[in-house]
PDB file of all heavy atoms in Angstrom:
ATOM      1  N   LEU A 108      64.892-123.105  49.922  1.00  0.00           N
ATOM      2  CA  LEU A 108      66.316-123.153  49.587  1.00  0.00           C
ATOM      3  C   LEU A 108      66.569-122.956  48.109  1.00  0.00           C
ATOM      4  O   LEU A 108      67.598-122.438  47.709  1.00  0.00           O
ATOM      5  CB  LEU A 108      66.912-124.511  50.024  1.00  0.00           C
ATOM      6  CG  LEU A 108      66.799-124.851  51.507  1.00  0.00           C
ATOM      7  CD1 LEU A 108      67.254-126.283  51.749  1.00  0.00           C
ATOM      8  CD2 LEU A 108      67.606-123.865  52.323  1.00  0.00           C
ATOM      9  N   ARG A 109      65.600-123.395  47.293  1.00  0.00           N
ATOM     10  CA  ARG A 109      65.782-123.317  45.837  1.00  0.00           C
ATOM     11  C   ARG A 109      64.440-123.457  45.149  1.00  0.00           C
ATOM     12  O   ARG A 109      63.610-124.282  45.556  1.00  0.00           O
ATOM     13  CB  ARG A 109      66.720-124.446  45.385  1.00  0.00           C
ATOM     14  CG  ARG A 109      67.034-124.440  43.933  1.00  0.00           C
ATOM     15  CD  ARG A 109      68.012-125.574  43.606  1.00  0.00           C
ATOM     16  NE  ARG A 109      68.500-125.451  42.258  1.00  0.00           N
ATOM     17  CZ  ARG A 109      69.292-126.307  41.682  1.00  0.00           C
ATOM     18  NH1 ARG A 109      69.705-127.368  42.364  1.00  0.00           N
ATOM     19  NH2 ARG A 109      69.709-126.142  40.450  1.00  0.00           N
ATOM     20  N   TYR A 110      64.230-122.647  44.136  1.00  0.00           N
ATOM     21  CA  TYR A 110      63.044-122.746  43.305  1.00  0.00           C
ATOM     22  C   TYR A 110      63.467-122.305  41.941  1.00  0.00           C
ATOM     23  O   TYR A 110      63.642-121.108  41.662  1.00  0.00           O
ATOM     24  CB  TYR A 110      61.923-121.843  43.847  1.00  0.00           C
ATOM     25  CG  TYR A 110      60.573-122.161  43.329  1.00  0.00           C
ATOM     26  CD1 TYR A 110      59.721-123.047  43.988  1.00  0.00           C
ATOM     27  CD2 TYR A 110      60.095-121.583  42.138  1.00  0.00           C
ATOM     28  CE1 TYR A 110      58.472-123.361  43.510  1.00  0.00           C
ATOM     29  CE2 TYR A 110      58.845-121.878  41.653  1.00  0.00           C
ATOM     30  CZ  TYR A 110      58.032-122.763  42.354  1.00  0.00           C
ATOM     31  OH  TYR A 110      56.792-123.075  41.869  1.00  0.00           O
ATOM     32  N   GLU A 111      63.747-123.269  41.048  1.00  0.00           N
ATOM     33  CA  GLU A 111      64.406-122.946  39.787  1.00  0.00           C
ATOM     34  C   GLU A 111      63.889-123.839  38.652  1.00  0.00           C
ATOM     35  O   GLU A 111      63.764-125.046  38.820  1.00  0.00           O
ATOM     36  CB  GLU A 111      65.903-123.148  39.955  1.00  0.00           C
ATOM     37  CG  GLU A 111      66.745-122.552  38.888  1.00  0.00           C
ATOM     38  CD  GLU A 111      68.231-122.605  39.239  1.00  0.00           C
ATOM     39  OE1 GLU A 111      68.593-123.082  40.342  1.00  0.00           O
ATOM     40  OE2 GLU A 111      69.021-122.178  38.413  1.00  0.00           O
ATOM     41  N   TYR A 112      63.591-123.222  37.524  1.00  0.00           N
ATOM     42  CA  TYR A 112      63.088-123.934  36.353  1.00  0.00           C
ATOM     43  C   TYR A 112      64.216-124.230  35.355  1.00  0.00           C
ATOM     44  O   TYR A 112      65.148-123.434  35.205  1.00  0.00           O
ATOM     45  CB  TYR A 112      62.050-123.094  35.621  1.00  0.00           C
ATOM     46  CG  TYR A 112      60.743-122.946  36.363  1.00  0.00           C
ATOM     47  CD1 TYR A 112      60.448-121.792  37.072  1.00  0.00           C
ATOM     48  CD2 TYR A 112      59.819-123.972  36.372  1.00  0.00           C
ATOM     49  CE1 TYR A 112      59.271-121.659  37.771  1.00  0.00           C
ATOM     50  CE2 TYR A 112      58.616-123.853  37.059  1.00  0.00           C
ATOM     51  CZ  TYR A 112      58.357-122.697  37.744  1.00  0.00           C
ATOM     52  OH  TYR A 112      57.187-122.556  38.427  1.00  0.00           O
ATOM     53  N   PHE A 113      64.095-125.382  34.667  1.00  0.00           N
ATOM     54  CA  PHE A 113      65.068-125.798  33.643  1.00  0.00           C
ATOM     55  C   PHE A 113      64.302-126.326  32.427  1.00  0.00           C
ATOM     56  O   PHE A 113      63.267-126.956  32.579  1.00  0.00           O
ATOM     57  CB  PHE A 113      65.984-126.908  34.168  1.00  0.00           C
ATOM     58  CG  PHE A 113      66.852-126.438  35.311  1.00  0.00           C
ATOM     59  CD1 PHE A 113      66.390-126.540  36.613  1.00  0.00           C
ATOM     60  CD2 PHE A 113      68.105-125.894  35.076  1.00  0.00           C
ATOM     61  CE1 PHE A 113      67.176-126.107  37.671  1.00  0.00           C
ATOM     62  CE2 PHE A 113      68.888-125.473  36.123  1.00  0.00           C
ATOM     63  CZ  PHE A 113      68.423-125.574  37.436  1.00  0.00           C
ATOM     64  N   ARG A 114      64.863-126.119  31.253  1.00  0.00           N
ATOM     65  CA  ARG A 114      64.298-126.675  30.016  1.00  0.00           C
ATOM     66  C   ARG A 114      64.972-127.977  29.675  1.00  0.00           C
ATOM     67  O   ARG A 114      66.186-128.122  29.802  1.00  0.00           O
ATOM     68  CB  ARG A 114      64.519-125.683  28.864  1.00  0.00           C
ATOM     69  CG  ARG A 114      63.715-124.417  29.030  1.00  0.00           C
ATOM     70  CD  ARG A 114      64.018-123.449  27.939  1.00  0.00           C
ATOM     71  NE  ARG A 114      63.290-123.832  26.733  1.00  0.00           N
ATOM     72  CZ  ARG A 114      63.292-123.122  25.623  1.00  0.00           C
ATOM     73  NH1 ARG A 114      63.981-122.000  25.547  1.00  0.00           N
ATOM     74  NH2 ARG A 114      62.622-123.544  24.568  1.00  0.00           N
ATOM     75  N   SER A 115      64.204-128.917  29.196  1.00  0.00           N
ATOM     76  CA  SER A 115      64.727-130.211  28.762  1.00  0.00           C
ATOM     77  C   SER A 115      65.359-130.083  27.371  1.00  0.00           C
ATOM     78  O   SER A 115      64.749-129.498  26.465  1.00  0.00           O
ATOM     79  CB  SER A 115      63.596-131.241  28.728  1.00  0.00           C
ATOM     80  OG  SER A 115      64.032-132.432  28.121  1.00  0.00           O
ATOM     81  N   LEU A 116      66.535-130.657  27.209  1.00  0.00           N
ATOM     82  CA  LEU A 116      67.157-130.702  25.888  1.00  0.00           C
ATOM     83  C   LEU A 116      66.559-131.810  25.032  1.00  0.00           C
ATOM     84  O   LEU A 116      66.600-131.753  23.813  1.00  0.00           O
ATOM     85  CB  LEU A 116      68.669-130.903  26.028  1.00  0.00           C
ATOM     86  CG  LEU A 116      69.413-129.767  26.722  1.00  0.00           C
ATOM     87  CD1 LEU A 116      70.898-130.131  26.880  1.00  0.00           C
ATOM     88  CD2 LEU A 116      69.273-128.480  25.933  1.00  0.00           C
ATOM     89  N   ASP A 117      66.026-132.843  25.691  1.00  0.00           N
ATOM     90  CA  ASP A 117      65.433-133.978  24.977  1.00  0.00           C
ATOM     91  C   ASP A 117      64.003-133.768  24.590  1.00  0.00           C
ATOM     92  O   ASP A 117      63.513-134.335  23.613  1.00  0.00           O
ATOM     93  CB  ASP A 117      65.513-135.240  25.838  1.00  0.00           C
ATOM     94  CG  ASP A 117      66.936-135.681  26.104  1.00  0.00           C
ATOM     95  OD1 ASP A 117      67.793-135.477  25.232  1.00  0.00           O
ATOM     96  OD2 ASP A 117      67.188-136.223  27.208  1.00  0.00           O
ATOM     97  N   ASP A 118      63.261-132.990  25.376  1.00  0.00           N
ATOM     98  CA  ASP A 118      61.822-132.817  25.151  1.00  0.00           C
ATOM     99  C   ASP A 118      61.450-131.351  25.360  1.00  0.00           C
ATOM    100  O   ASP A 118      61.283-130.916  26.494  1.00  0.00           O
ATOM    101  CB  ASP A 118      61.045-133.706  26.132  1.00  0.00           C
ATOM    102  CG  ASP A 118      59.545-133.601  25.945  1.00  0.00           C
ATOM    103  OD1 ASP A 118      59.088-132.823  25.072  1.00  0.00           O
ATOM    104  OD2 ASP A 118      58.806-134.248  26.689  1.00  0.00           O
TER     105      ASP A 118
END
Side-chain angles (χ1 to χ4, degrees):
L108 301 173
R109 182 177 189 185
Y110 197 91
E111 194 171 359
Y112 290 102
F113 296 89
R114 293 176 79 176
S115 171
L116 295 176
D117 295 328
D118 181 0

